[in-house]
Amino acid sequence: MPDRYDVVIIGGGPGGYVAAIRAAQLGLKTACIESRGTLGGTCLNIGCIPSKALLQSSHKFAEVDNDLAEHGVSVGGIALDLRAMMDRKDKVVTTLTRGVEFLFRKNKIGWLKGKGRIAAPGRVVVTGPDGASQEIEATSIIIATGSESTPLPGIDIDEKRVVSSTGALTLDPVPNRLVVIGGGYIGLELGSVWQRLGAKVTVVELLDHIVPNMDRELGTALQRVLARSGMEFKLGVKVAGVQQGREELTLDLGDAERQTLPADVVLVSVGRRPYTDGLGLEAVGIALDEHGRVVVDDGFATNIPGIYAIGDVIRGPMLEHKAAEEGVALAERLAGQKTSVDYDAIPAVIYTWPEVASVGKTEEELKAAAIPYRIGKFPFTANPRARTNGYTEGFVKILAESETDRVLGVHIIGPDAGTLIAEAVLAKEFGASAEDIARTCHAHPTLNEALKEAALAVDGRAIHI
Amino acid sequence: MAAEIKVPSLGESVTEATVAKWLKRPGEAVAIDEPIAELETDKITLEVYAPAAGTLAEILADEGANVPVGAVLGRIAEGAAAAISPHPPIADATGPPLSRIAGEGAERSEAGEGKLAALERSGPAVRKLIEESGLDASRLVPTGPGGRISRADVIAARAPVPVPPPPVPIAGEREVRVRMTRLRRRIAERLKAAQNTAAMLTTFNEVDMSEAIALRERYREGFEKKHGVRLGFMSTFVKAAIAALKELPVVNAEIDGDDIVYKNHYDIGVAVGTEQGLVVPVVRGADRMSFAEIEKTITALARKARDGKLTIEDLSGGTFTITNGGVYGSLMSTPILNPPQSGILGMHKIERRPVAAGEKIEIRPMMYVALSYDHRIVDGREAVTFLVRIKECVEEPSRLLFDM
């Protein structure tokens, strides 16, 4: 008799493992299939977590070099120990993935090591690393296999000199010249890491602006700050190919002048695509859309009864917290509850310095939808805490519906923007008006006061500017 | 300009109501569609909503007055004063004030927020709870800041409506005289009318519940997990009754003048005791429903009954009734017909009793069942056969599966 589960989840990333824990909490017999050898998926192993560890470490390095003197702290003999930095990053990753393993044991979730293939509705074949396979039965199957880096045609990734985001986490030594293809958040974050550690970084982007999904004003501001710190941008430029020389790489740029660009390392970060290889989706007849994403309804059900999908393999932004929300919502729905995900209240953060964070509609989206809005903006230069900290770059921008004052979008570029945005997400979940934020007492002196002031500014009555 | 508050249409065969309560006082601001008065009819209590925004100018029918459909209850002086929000923050001495700072901004926010549905501004936890409770958000009374629905508001709306305790005789008083509610008077009238009209008598039988109990035990957990509703015996009895009604259609028929009207639809009334009295909401088209759908429908109707939210439609048009005196511990009883229906099934308490099983005496969970019927059209043979069919189906629920 094959093992029988209420829920079997294929993929142990943030969508899958969170769905597994929630399903187990609700009393469903749950198993999770993961082939990586560690749980946590892209995010914990080769994504958000290691990149944030390196961003933090490299920020400290840069801080010593650039900022401490201003505070009256002089430090001599600064040196980079790249090996120690990488070891620390690996330790952070190990601690967190082990933490997920502990949570699985605590919740009595079966971790089936290997690759999952859907043989038929209700039946999954797991092939282990040793090639042995077993078949299990499940009332509900959840596809949570995530995404992978999108390759660029004609450019081979060797993860040494031509790297994806994965290889960019383990470069050694620090390259002299790093060219980043793609001006999205992954390229900018990893580019920032290596720039702070000494690389000359050039970002080549096909569009005429970076971070395409963000509010344009923030994108422009971010580009300005990064350019000031030495990052170079070539916008509206296509990369036609990469020539591998013995000493260096040469990028052929597809612009009118047929320019070339020398580099020691090239990072290809042009986006991510759903990962569904070997899942057996065609055999079962699961519908995919034109981008290769699994088609699901509002309840995450695919066209085949009993098979569901969440996270990067379905529509919506490819974000850890979006996948996790979907995992919880789906697990609760399978247990008979009526949970739904509010896609208009999912924050997005870019962990550069300054950080960029955003929730809800951008100004461009509101214009396109012809929704009348009012803007409230407040710069961190006028925020006392930012002053005392010595980081005054950036501003808060709140977009509120003209008629109702309801908060439609909040966009922050500045110190700790990723943490500050939480207040705005909560406001959005509660359909708050800008005035609700404005009339909520904010502790002084904090960076959050900038949100309150921006909310006041929607009504033209910011106090401190 | 004044708008008249009229007694709304109360559904078929209901022509008048009693004003139970005014929810607003003259001079008080009202928003359009805000509940302003409660009416009591023979069947239900219903709310009257403001036809316009403004101020309640005058009350023309006091509490306790009988009013026909279409009568004018009162008038609303239309004005801008209360047109802003369905839940004006005024007159709320206990709640937190909406605006802590006076000024033009505060006024703007009230105007603005009023235009957003309270539901959208009430956060994800409340939205989920409302969805799962099946409540109509627009009927909830928000008490949160700025007219938001709080979790407590939803929980309160799900809870049974508190009923004033029956008057306790004051020491020294020999008796207390209380006017019957309209619902109680109507129950009294109809029960007596049924006895006066029908040639009513009752046949009994007993049912061995062993198998039904075993089935329920086996599927209880899975059923509840899958369907989100408890598996009770009611669905089994409803299904058994429908099987018997199909076999003996006269029990599902009614007398209309000199005709007998046979019905090919099976709308089963389920008697529910509430604090206010007995009501019989109807599970419509029960023959086309699954067990789970029947259980869900009964649960939803019982909740509505407890909350006093039944509509006229919920109560009218049943073809047969089931009443369960067992919930109060009754071992045997003779239910009274719910006219113009011709049959009513009485379920009772399940009691472990010694019964002869073959040559042995065994202790079995037994239930007496009673069928009261109108002997004018239902013959004794039909009534007895009907009840035997129900007995067989409940004792062997698999018969329901094979239509045996």
Side-chain angles (χ1 to χ4, degrees), chain A residues 6 26-28 332 334-340 342 374 401 403-406 428-433 435-436 439-441 459 461, chain B residues 98-113 115-116 120-125 127-128 131-132 148 225-226 228:
Chain A
D6 295 320
L26 291 165
L28 300 172
E332 291 183 352
L334 293 178
Q337 300 183 24
K338 293 189 173 168
T339 317
S340 54
D342 180 357
R374 300 204 292 174
E401 191 173 25
E403 195 188 358
T404 64
D405 195 35
R406 179 186 206 155
K428 267 205 67 74
E429 277 287 5
F430 280 86
S433 61
E435 191 181 341
D436 285 323
R439 294 202 181 281
T440 302
C441 185
D459 198 33
R461 53 197 181 92
Chain B
L98 178 67
S99 308
R100 278 167 289 178
I101 305 164
E104 28 122 46
E107 280 148 35
R108 183 172 59 73
S109 82
E110 282 158 34
E113 288 180 2
K115 288 174 188 156
L116 290 172
E120 290 170 58
R121 298 187 291 117
S122 298
R127 282 195 294 270
K128 174 168 181 276
E131 170 92 352
E132 288 171 357
R148 289 183 167 81
K225 199 177 282 177
K226 174 152 187 212

Side-chain angles (χ1 to χ4, degrees), chain A residues 3 6 8 18 76 104 107 115 128 130 177 179-180 222 249 266 278 318 348 352 409 454 456:
Chain A
D3 286 341
D6 295 320
V8 164
V18 171
F104 267 33
N107 289 287
K115 285 184 78 76
D130 55 357
R177 294 159 301 178
V179 173
V180 178
L222 177 63
L249 304 165
V266 172
M318 293 186 176
T352 45
L456 283 165

Side-chain angles (χ1 to χ4, degrees), chain A residues 30-279:
Chain A
T30 306
C32 184
I33 302 169
E34 172 59 58
S35 63
R36 193 188 297 272
T38 50
L39 293 168
T42 299
C43 166
L44 260 67
N45 289 283
I46 51 167
C48 332
I49 296 303
S51 65
K52 256 86 276 173
L54 289 182
L55 278 161
Q56 178 71 7
S57 299
S58 61
H59 178 67
K60 286 198 179 298
F61 181 72
E63 199 173 29
V64 175
D65 217 8
N66 304 327
D67 302 330
L68 286 191
E70 177 196 330
H71 290 268
V73 182
S74 25
V75 186
I78 308 161
L80 171 66
D81 183 346
L82 186 59
R83 181 59 52 83
M85 200 178 272
M86 290 293 168
D87 286 348
R88 176 185 174 279
K89 171 203 73 182
D90 294 340
K91 212 169 133 196
V92 170
V93 168
T94 308
T95 309
L96 289 176
T97 57
R98 291 270 165 76
V100 180
E101 284 175 39
F102 161 76
L103 293 173
F104 267 33
R105 285 194 299 277
K106 178 185 161 195
N107 289 287
K108 302 191 169 44
I109 298 160
W111 175 12
L112 308 176
K113 294 176 190 175
K115 285 184 78 76
R117 179 174 59 82
I118 302 173
R123 290 195 293 130
V124 179
V125 174
V126 187
T127 307
D130 55 357
S133 63
Q134 74 175 110
E135 184 166 304
I136 54 172
E137 289 184 358
T139 310
S140 305
I141 297 170
I142 302 177
I143 302 167
T145 43
S147 59
E148 59 181 357
S149 296
T150 308
L152 213 48
I155 299 178
D156 295 327
I157 287 174
D158 60 19
E159 297 293 14
K160 295 239 163 15
R161 293 208 296 176
V162 181
V163 298
S164 69
S165 57
T166 309
L169 294 168
T170 54
L171 298 181
D172 189 11
V174 177
N176 287 324
R177 294 159 301 178
L178 172 69
V179 173
V180 178
I181 306 178
Y185 73 96
I186 296 174
L188 295 180
E189 288 181 6
L190 290 169
S192 294
V193 167
W194 296 107
Q195 173 176 290
R196 292 168 192 171
L197 299 181
K200 168 73 197 150
V201 175
T202 306
V203 175
V204 185
E205 165 62 48
L206 183 62
L207 299 176
D208 65 356
H209 57 279
I210 59 168
V211 289
N213 295 328
M214 286 280 177
D215 189 277
R216 193 66 60 85
E217 194 177 356
L218 269 77
T220 310
L222 177 63
Q223 187 186 334
R224 201 179 306 129
V225 181
L226 292 175
R228 208 185 306 140
S229 72
M231 200 178 274
E232 211 175 301
F233 290 92
K234 292 192 178 296
L235 301 183
V237 174
K238 185 177 154 62
V239 176
V242 177
Q243 295 171 38
Q244 303 246 6
R246 182 190 292 270
E247 294 296 321
E248 61 173 25
L249 304 165
T250 308
L251 283 83
D252 298 324
L253 303 184
D255 56 355
E257 297 94 64
R258 298 230 148 263
Q259 286 185 53
T260 58
L261 189 62
D264 300 300
V265 173
V266 172
L267 164 59
V268 180
S269 55
V270 293
R272 298 184 64 80
R273 62 181 185 188
Y275 177 72
T276 56
D277 285 358
L279 268 176

Side-chain angles (χ1 to χ4, degrees), chain B residues 129-197:
Chain B
L129 195 61
I130 290 173
E131 170 92 352
E132 288 171 357
S133 310
L135 293 170
D136 177 357
S138 63
R139 292 272 171 274
L140 293 172
V141 183
T143 63
R148 289 183 167 81
I149 302 165
S150 71
R151 220 164 177 283
D153 296 335
V154 186
I155 290 163
R158 291 199 306 186
V161 179
V163 172
V168 179
I170 302 161
E173 247 182 305
R174 275 169 55 81
E175 50 189 37
V176 176
R177 183 175 287 268
V178 182
R179 194 168 164 75
M180 282 198 277
T181 63
R182 245 193 122 78
L183 179 64
R184 174 53 57 193
R185 267 183 317 197
R186 185 66 179 170
I187 290 171
E189 259 172 47
R190 286 175 65 98
L191 290 176
K192 196 61 213 160
Q195 277 184 327
N196 289 346
T197 312

